[in-house]
Amino acid sequence: MTAEELIPAPRAVRTLAAGFTLGEDTLLAAGPGTEATARWLRATLGAVTGYALPPGDGRDGRTIRLAVEHAGPLGPEGYRLTVDDAGVTLHGGGPAGVFWGAQTLRQLLGPEAFRRAPVTPGRRWTLPGVVVEDTPRFGWRGLLLDVARHFLPKDGVLRQLDVMAAHKLNVLHLHLTDDQGWRIEIERHPELTETGAWRARTKLGHRASPLWDERPHGGYYTQDDIREIVAYAAERHITVVPEIDVPGHSQAAIAAYPELGNTDVIDTTALTVWDTWGINPNVLAPTDNTLRFYEGVFEEVLELFPSVFVHVGGDECPKDQWRRSATAQARIKELGLAGEDELQAWFIAHFDRWLAARGRRLIGWDEILEGGLAPGAAVSSWRGYGGGVAAARAGHDVVMCPEQYVYLDHRQAAGEDEPVPIGFVRTLEDVYRFEPVPEQLTEDEARHVLGTQANLWSEVTEDQQRVDYQLFPRLAAFAEVAWSALPVPAARDFAGFERRMAAHYRRLDALGVAYRPPAGPRPWQRRPGILGRPLDGPPPDR
């Protein structure tokens, strides 16, 4: 394997005359701050090579040396990897940089290094002579997994963290609650999972489909499951950002605790966990009881997730029930608000202040701009670039995740064999030419762009293979956009990226990722007869 086949592409590569071959006598010298990477290397490379990689002091030959250079020019996630006939030296600007450099080292060993046990006994594990200097473009390189619409068991989340690490992605945004299910144990409110984590059946395909899966669906993560996921992610320098969606997308919570809904408008005791898709009219009541309830939820969430950012959703909250609710209208009058949009802004601002008082930061979808944005809030800009531009110009931090480019539940091709086709065609090349920083931002405004995130909503991704299919190979292109210093979209070398993907598909094969092949879906990846919602033409640029 050569350095020219790395994904994401590094900033600088220099070829050396001689490389290095690992062997039974290869040592691993781990300096302070590199212990997690040393554990990872022994677990992954040790498993596939059969070599123990025992500790060394760094003065011997035939050694992989890991070190942190806090005072150097690399930056906390940057690294410099040198491979020559004297061994391997990996310096990082911080512990994370050392870990990302180890991902590059693994790629240089070839696709077999991505397996879990040896497949070629007696194989020589040779690294090319090279110097790689690298640092990421963005600090937020994220992936959203929607585990609320279709539950992804814990082992699937852990596997996804491994795949993210292999692509140098560092934020997992877990969408934990929605109308169709509540997926996190809250000890003081047990009905959230006893009732809210389960639905009786599930719509198959788009909400207009006549088909149903009549099997009950559900599941949730215990608090120990969450602790395990967070710790596993931290070992891989990935931050897990939890999302508890308020005040919309909340029917599962209302089904568990009917007093959370607008009881003066509808009979909330008749609600069940929703079994279909779309924007749900049943939203939280803007009452003190609701605020106290969710403060209790967030108290437990903060104990489980060390992430500075906590996502509160804030999207797709229909206001009809509030318009008809005497309780909601009385609250609008009491607070002197202009209407229902400002009532939602008040709801979000309450949790912005509540989180800030506990050293955390609120982030929400760009609808939280409507009615006035809470002072400390950050924005996930999903409805195009507009929300992100407005937020950055107002001095708010932004994560760019516009649906037109990086909603990976959208279909990958226009062919009739594309499984459950949703949305616009977003090809591998479309994702590769995505630019996270809108050109209309000034240099100072652009500093508010924390980074970018790809989102996978799970209405029609009901299991791990469907998740794999929708994510890959496009997530590899997204990872390069988020990490590498690429030219402007029109000048990007997509043909060169495709050539590098030829090697990367073999890595994905070794990892067991059920990606979409370049020629189209395999027969068992198709879903004939299940209605989607394909949209023709280019997506609107907004």
Side-chain angles (χ1 to χ4, degrees), residues 130-332:
V130 70
V131 178
V132 180
E133 295 188 353
D134 205 5
T135 190
R137 180 184 180 192
F138 293 109
W140 186 303
R141 306 180 302 281
L143 170 65
L144 176 142
L145 283 181
D146 170 14
V147 296
R149 272 54 174 265
H150 277 101
F151 179 61
L152 184 64
K154 180 197 69 178
D155 284 352
V157 178
L158 299 178
R159 173 185 180 271
Q160 196 59 55
L161 287 165
D162 282 332
V163 176
M164 288 176 64
H167 292 83
K168 300 185 174 73
L169 298 174
N170 69 343
V171 177
L172 174 62
H173 174 171
L174 274 184
H175 181 76
L176 289 163
T177 71
D178 216 296
D179 301 302
Q180 296 86 1
W182 185 283
R183 306 295 179 213
I184 179 172
E185 177 187 27
I186 302 297
E187 292 178 347
R188 73 189 71 185
H189 301 306
E191 285 299 319
L192 286 172
T193 46
E194 290 180 16
T195 296
W198 309 93
R199 59 178 181 262
R201 63 176 187 169
T202 300
K203 174 66 71 174
L204 270 180
H206 184 257
R207 61 181 175 272
S209 166
L211 303 178
W212 294 89
D213 182 341
E214 297 291 348
R215 297 173 297 173
H217 177 83
Y220 64 93
Y221 309 111
T222 67
Q223 293 204 356
D224 280 346
D225 289 337
I226 293 293
R227 292 184 182 98
E228 180 183 359
I229 288 167
V230 169
Y232 195 85
E235 281 276 307
R236 288 147 183 79
H237 297 277
I238 296 172
T239 299
V240 184
V241 174
E243 180 181 354
I244 306 295
D245 211 336
V246 296
H249 288 285
S250 296
Q251 182 161 318
I254 298 169
Y257 292 93
E259 66 272 20
L260 296 174
N262 294 285
T263 58
D264 59 347
V265 176
I266 63 164
D267 178 10
T268 56
T269 64
L271 294 178
T272 59
V273 178
W274 212 25
D275 56 12
T276 189
W277 321 121
I279 299 176
N280 190 302
N282 298 305
V283 302
L284 297 174
T287 64
D288 290 343
N289 176 67
T290 300
L291 297 181
R292 300 294 88 77
F293 183 96
Y294 273 88
E295 286 171 359
V297 169
F298 281 115
E299 282 177 5
E300 295 193 27
V301 167
L302 297 193
E303 290 174 359
L304 296 168
F305 295 91
S307 166
V308 171
F309 285 98
V310 176
H311 208 291
V312 301
D315 62 317
E316 296 178 331
C317 179
K319 309 300 193 298
D320 182 63
Q321 288 185 359
W322 287 356
R323 294 186 187 98
R324 295 158 51 203
S325 166
T327 300
Q329 292 303 310
R331 176 124 277 181
I332 289 171

